[in-house]
Amino acid sequence: MFWRAISEDQPGPRWAGLFAEYWPDYRRWWLNEGDAARASYLESRQMLTRHMPELVPLYDQLCELAGGGDQAARFLSFYCPPPYLSGCSQALWTGKAPVLVRNYDYNPAAFDSLILRTNWMGRRVIGVSDGLWGLVDGMNDAGVAISLTFGGRRVVGQGFGVPLILRYVLQTCTTSEEAGRVLARVPTHMSYNVTVVDRERKYLTAMMGPDRKAQITHAAVATNHQENVEWISHARFTATVERERYLLHRMSLHRDTEEKFISAFLKPPLYSTAFSQGFGTLYTAVYRPRKRQMEIRWPGTIWPLSLDTFEEGARQVQVPGSA
């Protein structure tokens, strides 16, 4: 896998270049159920204005950079996109300083492999890109870190793709409490577990779904189910219950050092190489919101990154089991 870390304070030619590069693949995915299956531009923009109004000027700017086309604008709204599934484990290290650790399990052929550092709307944000302005995990300069896991339910409804909701949280929230209020009110099109921690070590996990009110919990661990397992075959395939139990066991019975806790994510049962069956672990992310630092890890490799002293770069990584 070829990874890049790119910084552009304001949306401009670099973002436009990335969009031009990624758009053909995203367009095929976005149209895989036909154009009529996706919401219209008018509805998409209206929903964005209703639920995430602060993002609308930025959205309009990105649509213009993307060429101003109808399909691109509808895609960038993230409103009612095609359904997609992932694995993932995430947990908070219970030591003195807040540390959020997560594994992202997905299909490597449908992944941006891109770390973006931006200063949009006057707030610096760093994170792993999805859809070129959404994020699957990230952190802002207020010391809020966030990540997602799929919630393990089949239902699809009216709402936004969750990566844009994560972007919205990081652009507008300075505490986990504020983030919880956002996660409780913005509709999502599928079920997701979103974990947030701030620099004061206050944290929450929101169990979101399109057909029911979001449940804001004090869970420090999230895998791929919510209160109960509803999609049994998916739960067996992803070993979501076993991964959750493993993390809870470590946190309750072991007093792992920070490094030992992080290292556990790069080994079974948390680390997956099931790429031949759809998806495996693409990376492990570590967020330290108090230091405004993050790491992307693979077995034997660590890529340290800082929000304050961000260095652009690229890495060619061989992910075990992905080739």
Side-chain angles (χ1 to χ4, degrees):
M1 291 182 67
F2 181 67
W3 280 73
R4 288 174 287 179
I6 292 176
S7 176
E8 187 176 49
D9 277 357
Q10 302 303 321
R14 301 199 72 184
W15 188 90
L18 288 169
F19 186 84
E21 177 186 341
Y22 284 81
W23 174 231
D25 287 335
Y26 269 121
R27 184 178 182 273
R28 279 191 291 273
W29 168 76
W30 191 79
L31 291 173
N32 64 19
E33 297 174 316
D35 182 86
R38 308 276 66 86
S40 69
Y41 168 72
L42 180 60
E43 182 184 10
S44 300
R45 196 176 187 282
Q46 285 176 339
M47 291 300 102
L48 197 61
T49 301
R50 177 184 299 177
H51 296 289
M52 296 183 274
E54 298 93 333
L55 289 187
V56 172
L58 175 60
Y59 166 73
D60 289 342
Q61 191 177 2
L62 294 176
C63 288
E64 185 175 346
L65 285 169
D70 174 73
Q71 290 181 342
R74 291 154 68 195
F75 162 74
L76 287 169
S77 76
F78 273 72
Y79 186 65
C80 295
Y84 45 85
L85 308 180
S86 62
C88 313
S89 307
Q90 61 199 24
L92 292 159
W93 181 61
T94 54
K96 287 185 178 180
V99 181
L100 176 62
V101 189
R102 66 97 96 259
N103 276 5
Y104 188 67
D105 298 356
Y106 201 57
N107 180 351
F111 178 60
D112 287 2
S113 302
L114 180 64
I115 302 158
L116 282 181
R117 184 266 186 197
T118 56
N119 194 18
W120 298 342
M121 298 166 55
R123 169 149 286 144
R124 286 177 296 155
V125 171
I126 188 173
V128 179
S129 166
D130 186 78
L132 298 174
W133 74 307
L135 298 164
V136 293
D137 48 70
M139 175 178 61
N140 68 17
D141 58 9
V144 174
I146 191 168
S147 69
L148 65 87
T149 74
F150 175 58
R153 302 178 66 233
R154 292 176 183 268
V155 61
V156 179
Q158 302 293 306
F160 293 93
V162 75
L164 186 61
I165 301 176
L166 266 62
R167 165 65 71 177
Y168 182 52
V169 166
L170 292 181
Q171 294 294 154
T172 61
C173 297
T174 60
T175 66
S176 59
E177 184 180 4
E178 291 176 1
R181 289 197 290 268
V182 167
L183 296 170
R185 69 170 178 79
V186 177
T188 174
H189 84 303
M190 294 186 74
S191 295
Y192 288 93
N193 304 320
V194 178
T195 299
V196 186
V197 63
D198 62 29
R199 59 178 295 110
E200 302 303 326
R201 205 170 166 273
K202 295 178 180 176
Y203 65 89
L204 59 86
T205 293
M207 297 182 181
M208 306 171 70
D211 57 338
R212 59 195 188 192
K213 185 177 178 181
Q215 184 180 358
I216 308 300
T217 76
H218 197 59
V221 169
T223 53
N224 300 124
H225 60 283
Q226 296 187 332
E227 287 186 291
N228 303 297
V229 170
E230 296 185 29
W231 189 352
I232 294 173
S233 61
H234 183 269
R236 285 183 183 144
F237 171 63
T238 62
T240 177
V241 174
E242 292 81 359
R243 286 183 286 118
E244 181 189 52
R245 286 175 179 165
Y246 175 80
L247 281 167
L248 290 171
H249 180 78
R250 291 202 74 89
M251 294 172 73
S252 62
L253 297 182
H254 298 271
R255 299 302 300 176
D256 284 346
T257 63
E258 179 183 325
E259 183 58 33
K260 189 173 182 182
F261 184 74
I262 296 168
S263 297
F265 280 77
L266 286 102
K267 304 169 187 173
L270 302 182
Y271 196 89
S272 169
T273 57
F275 291 101
S276 62
Q277 297 169 281
F279 49 83
T281 301
L282 297 183
Y283 67 92
T284 299
V286 180
Y287 287 91
R288 299 183 179 91
R290 198 169 288 174
K291 296 180 178 179
R292 298 198 288 204
Q293 295 173 347
M294 68 174 287
E295 295 171 352
I296 301 294
R297 295 195 182 200
W298 302 273
T301 303
I302 299 176
W303 191 358
L305 296 147
S306 169
L307 190 56
D308 298 323
T309 56
F310 185 86
E311 292 185 15
E312 294 190 324
R315 297 281 178 101
Q316 184 70 44
V317 180
Q318 179 59 50
V319 177
S322 64

